[in-house]
Amino acid sequence: MKSLIHSVLLALVVIGSFAANCQAEKIYELRKYTAHQGKLDDLLTRFRDHTCELFTKHGMTNLAYFVPYENDKNQLVYFLSFPSREARDQSFKEFVNDPAWKSAFAKSREDGPLVEKVESVFLTETDFSPKEGFKSADDARLFELRTYTATPGHLSNLDARFRDHTIELFEKHGITNIAYFHLMPDQEGAEKTLVYLIAHKSIMDRGVSFKAFGQDPAWQAARKASEENAGGSLTEKGGVNFEFLVPTDFSPVK
């Protein structure tokens, strides 16, 4: 009997460990498409009418689709998620070989190709990323995609400041935390990059929120302490970049 109980407990431990590992393998992909001049509307139509549905068919999770607030580069920016990197590769392989996609792709290009450039980066969630961050709100929002480049050896310090102070202070001042990511280990700059997505009620509210955040004594104290502990700034000079994004009409998150 003891042997049977031991075997059952061991099996449960193995199953639990396997489930945890599977969950930990979940990955995200941030993709940016630059459309040829005059082709962005056609690209959006192809996603709206075909691509998003076919992504779902082949096991990809559509999370959010955006265009830049001032879209002078004719871009589409979007997030997908997958159970693993291997699942992602298999899904895309099936997708590009799907006759429905081949047909939609060919038809959309009858007057010339739509996409000039495709950029892609693979991400994993940080331990402080909201568990259900990719969800819609009742009112329209402006999104902000921010990328921080940490000073050498200080990504963990930057993470700690966000985990212990920044994200709570963002919420205090009306900034909605959507998701926080690290680059997967095989991505260039993985050892020093934090990528995150936040949301605001409007561009005007964004300015008010960040001004109040920057002047908050709690933020000023947290920043000072973190920089004293690290011996200087946690981000490289010019290492804070951001872009404002507006959800498309077919984006699951708005």
Side-chain angles (χ1 to χ4, degrees):
M1 178 62 72
K2 289 183 179 180
S3 177
L4 177 59
I5 293 174
H6 177 76
S7 298
V8 171
L9 290 175
L10 180 60
L12 290 174
V13 169
V14 171
I15 292 171
S17 177
F18 177 77
N21 288 336
C22 287
Q23 185 176 10
E25 288 176 354
K26 183 177 181 180
I27 69 152
Y28 296 79
E29 187 173 3
L30 169 59
R31 295 174 68 85
K32 292 185 179 182
Y33 286 14
T34 301
H36 284 288
Q37 192 66 36
K39 296 293 186 178
L40 180 60
D41 286 344
D42 292 329
L43 179 62
L44 295 177
T45 296
R46 191 170 73 191
F47 269 84
R48 182 187 301 109
D49 295 348
H50 305 284
T51 311
C52 291
E53 183 179 351
L54 289 169
F55 277 176
T56 300
K57 173 184 176 182
H58 293 291
M60 310 182 203
T61 300
N62 297 291
L63 292 175
Y65 288 83
F66 306 105
V67 292
Y69 182 69
E70 295 181 351
N71 200 3
D72 55 345
K73 294 182 180 179
N74 297 310
Q75 288 187 329
L76 170 66
V77 180
Y78 65 99
F79 286 88
L80 301 172
S81 70
F82 310 87
S84 69
R85 185 72 166 269
E86 293 74 18
R88 181 266 179 201
D89 293 344
Q90 182 62 33
S91 290
F92 261 100
K93 181 179 179 180
E94 295 173 357
F95 164 75
V96 298
N97 287 305
D98 190 316
W101 165 246
K102 289 182 177 181
S103 174
F105 180 73
K107 186 172 181 58
S108 69
R109 290 165 53 92
E110 287 177 349
D111 294 324
L114 306 187
V115 179
E116 179 179 353
K117 181 171 69 172
V118 175
E119 301 169 79
S120 172
V121 64
F122 296 105
L123 310 162
T124 58
E125 279 187 302
T126 67
D127 60 358
F128 52 88
S129 185
K131 298 307 177 187
E132 296 182 1
F134 280 99
K135 58 183 179 181
S136 286
D138 294 333
D139 299 318
R141 296 185 291 180
L142 174 77
F143 291 77
E144 185 174 356
L145 181 63
R146 296 175 68 88
T147 302
Y148 285 16
T149 303
T151 46
H154 290 140
L155 180 58
S156 61
N157 300 80
L158 184 62
D159 286 345
R161 192 168 71 190
F162 271 88
R163 182 187 301 110
D164 299 338
H165 305 285
T166 310
I167 57 174
E168 182 178 351
L169 290 169
F170 275 177
E171 292 288 349
K172 173 184 176 181
H173 294 291
I175 301 169
T176 301
N177 298 293
I178 304 297
Y180 288 80
F181 302 104
H182 289 149
L183 304 185
M184 290 192 73
D186 65 339
Q187 304 292 282
E188 183 179 357
E191 76 287 354
K192 61 181 180 179
T193 306
L194 174 68
V195 178
Y196 67 96
L197 185 67
I198 53 180
H200 315 278
K201 292 180 181 179
S202 67
I203 191 71
M204 184 177 295
D205 283 289
R206 187 267 184 192
V208 172
S209 292
F210 261 101
K211 182 178 180 180
F213 166 76
Q215 294 175 346
D216 192 315
W219 161 245
Q220 293 176 354
R223 179 177 180 176
K224 181 180 178 180
S226 66
E227 291 183 349
E228 287 178 350
N229 181 56
S233 176
L234 302 189
T235 56
E236 293 183 354
K237 185 177 181 180
V240 175
N241 295 282
F242 61 89
E243 60 180 317
F244 300 124
L245 303 171
V246 179
T248 66
D249 61 331
F250 55 87
S251 176
V253 170
K254 293 185 173 64

